[in-house]
């Protein structure tokens, strides 16, 4: 007889797949190796509100004996389907929250986990998938570890490359602007406006003029009740004579700029700063100078939050 997944489990697995595709094809996947030693502590699993976290096991789990203490009202019912355990918090957990998850395998072996909220460290981001290995020397475990090692190496190389690429005077200026120390620069504020987005964020946009440079400081207050705000991408594009000066600007030429943020993510109720510095050379094209550049800010879900038009008169000689 063929086994079919329950409808809700199928939906959750579909949701997980769509989440993986949505974030630059790079889901948060982590490997856990569990060994039979008395001193071992329960492995931690990091979750966030309304996001499915999946434990992938090397053998099927026992639904009747897989349970989490105190989940009622805080999580959707725990699903144990084949080699998968699915967790979905109804809302963000508090930093002090700890839930004991006991996963029982088909052979009766019990695996304890501590389910907790995300932290501030890189490895404490929410887990989308956690691969659980009981045999560290098995082929699957070694392949997963090799893949993780290669990924860490790529991330390190990218970090080193980014460090050298962004080691410029304009990036240093942008860093100063994120601290609010405008008086330490030659920038003069020219315009200011407030934007309220459909995602619950309030953006204070300040435009500065300077000697040979312009700057934009974006202060973001996240008023969403449960979801963090982060910057996915910023784009600086030329505009064409007669073009409708409303975003998105699809046909402009991309121009370089320096960007700094004071944090990677802005939690609900908190504020953060994004600073951009644009050199006068960005206004130069093969045909001379353009009078206006468009600076677009895209949030974590890929939607445009706001845009700024920079006049060439902002960059003083």
């Amino acid at each position: 007889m063929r086994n079919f997944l329950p409808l809700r489990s199928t939906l959750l697995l579909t949701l997980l797949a769509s989440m993986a595709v949505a974030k630059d094809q790079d889901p948060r996947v982590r490997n856990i190796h569990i060994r039979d030693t008395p001193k071992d502590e329960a492995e931690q699993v990091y979750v966030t509100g309304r996001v499915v976290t999946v434990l992938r096991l090397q053998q099927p789990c026992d639904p009747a004996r897989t349970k989490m203490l105190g989940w009622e009202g805080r999580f959707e019912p725990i699903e144990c389907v084949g080699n998968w355990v699915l967790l979905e918090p109804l809302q963000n957990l508090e930093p002090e929250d700890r839930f004991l998850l006991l996963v029982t395998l088909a052979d009766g072996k019990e695996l304890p986990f501590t389910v907790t909220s995300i932290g501030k460290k890189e490895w404490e981001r929410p887990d989308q998938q956690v691969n659980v290995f009981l045999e560290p020397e098995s082929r699957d475990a070694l392949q997963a570890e090799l893949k993780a090692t290669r990924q860490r190496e790529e991330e390190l190389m990218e970090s080193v490359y980014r460090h050298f690429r962004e080691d410029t005077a304009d990036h240093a200026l942008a860093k100063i602007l994120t601290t609010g120390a405008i008086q330490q620069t030659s920038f003069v504020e020219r315009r200011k406006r407030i934007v309220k987005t459909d995602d619950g964020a309030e953006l204070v946009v300040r435009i500065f003029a300077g000697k040979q440079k312009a700057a934009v400081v974006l202060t973001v207050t996240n008023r969403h009740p449960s979801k963090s705000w982060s910057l996915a991408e910023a784009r600086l594009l030329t505009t064409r004579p007669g073009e409708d000066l409303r975003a998105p600007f699809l046909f402009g030429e991309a121009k370089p700029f320096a960007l700094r943020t004071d944090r990677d993510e802005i939690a609900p109720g908190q504020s953060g700063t994004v600073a951009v510095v644009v050199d006068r050379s960005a206004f130069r094209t093969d045909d001379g100078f353009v009078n206006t550049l468009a600076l677009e800010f895209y949030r974590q879900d890929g939607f445009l939050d706001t845009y700024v038009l920079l006049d060439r008169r902002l960059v003083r000689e």
Side-chain angles (χ1 to χ4, degrees), residues 32 34 39-45 99-101 111-115:
I32 288 179
I34 297 180
K39 294 183 180 180
D40 279 354
E41 299 180 356
E43 294 283 354
Q44 298 204 70
V45 177
F99 295 87
L100 177 61
L101 171 66
L111 307 178
F113 299 90
T114 299
V115 180

Side-chain angles (χ1 to χ4, degrees), residues 56-290:
R56 179 178 177 273
L57 311 169
Q58 287 186 292
Q59 61 172 278
C61 54
D62 183 344
R65 292 187 292 170
T66 294
K67 61 190 70 176
M68 184 163 62
L69 300 179
W71 66 270
E72 294 85 352
R74 306 295 298 275
F75 288 77
E76 293 285 359
I78 309 304
E79 294 283 351
C80 175
V81 184
N83 289 40
W84 304 84
V85 176
L86 297 92
L87 312 171
E88 183 185 1
L90 295 174
Q91 59 188 17
N92 286 347
L93 304 183
E94 297 298 327
E96 64 273 11
D97 286 339
R98 299 288 188 275
F99 295 87
L100 177 61
L101 171 66
L102 186 64
V103 175
T104 303
L105 303 179
D107 63 3
K109 184 175 180 60
E110 296 180 339
L111 307 178
F113 299 90
T114 299
V115 180
T116 185
S117 67
I118 60 176
K120 296 181 179 180
K121 300 176 181 178
E122 189 278 333
W123 57 86
E124 293 176 337
R125 291 178 292 143
D127 292 312
Q128 288 178 280
Q129 179 173 313
V130 179
N131 299 320
V132 181
F133 296 104
L134 301 180
E135 302 173 9
E137 303 303 323
S138 68
R139 179 176 179 178
D140 287 347
L142 292 174
Q143 286 181 335
E145 193 60 33
L146 177 60
K147 181 179 179 180
T149 300
R150 287 175 174 171
Q151 183 177 351
R152 286 194 296 268
E153 182 180 2
E154 290 175 1
E155 291 173 353
L156 179 60
M157 292 298 294
E158 170 60 24
S159 177
V160 172
Y161 174 70
R162 186 170 61 250
H163 171 76
F164 285 104
R165 185 181 62 212
E166 299 180 354
D167 187 19
T168 69
D170 285 355
H171 283 89
L173 274 175
K175 181 64 176 179
I176 293 174
L177 293 177
T178 63
T179 68
I182 309 296
Q183 68 279 3
Q184 296 183 16
T185 71
S186 62
F187 289 115
V188 178
E189 186 172 341
R190 293 303 188 204
R191 292 193 298 277
K192 176 181 177 181
R193 63 188 175 95
I194 299 176
V195 178
K196 294 185 178 180
T197 74
D198 60 359
D199 200 40
E202 181 179 281
L203 314 178
V204 179
V205 184
R206 301 165 66 193
I207 302 175
F208 295 85
K211 187 176 181 180
Q212 298 284 331
K213 301 181 189 300
V216 175
V217 175
L218 184 69
T219 303
V220 182
T221 301
N222 183 10
R223 304 198 185 281
H224 196 282
S226 61
K227 186 167 60 176
S228 295
W229 186 98
S230 61
L231 181 68
E233 184 181 11
R235 301 175 185 172
L236 183 65
L237 303 168
T238 59
T239 59
R240 299 183 298 177
E243 182 180 12
D244 184 3
L245 295 180
R246 289 182 295 178
F249 297 88
L250 303 177
F251 305 106
E253 177 187 354
K255 289 294 185 176
F257 59 95
L259 182 146
R260 282 285 185 262
T261 62
D262 66 345
R263 63 192 68 195
D264 293 331
E265 286 188 340
I266 303 174
Q270 296 186 356
S271 298
T273 304
V274 179
V276 169
V277 173
V278 178
D279 188 78
R280 183 174 182 269
S281 61
F283 289 86
R284 185 182 298 117
T285 67
D286 293 339
D287 299 324
F289 283 90
V290 294

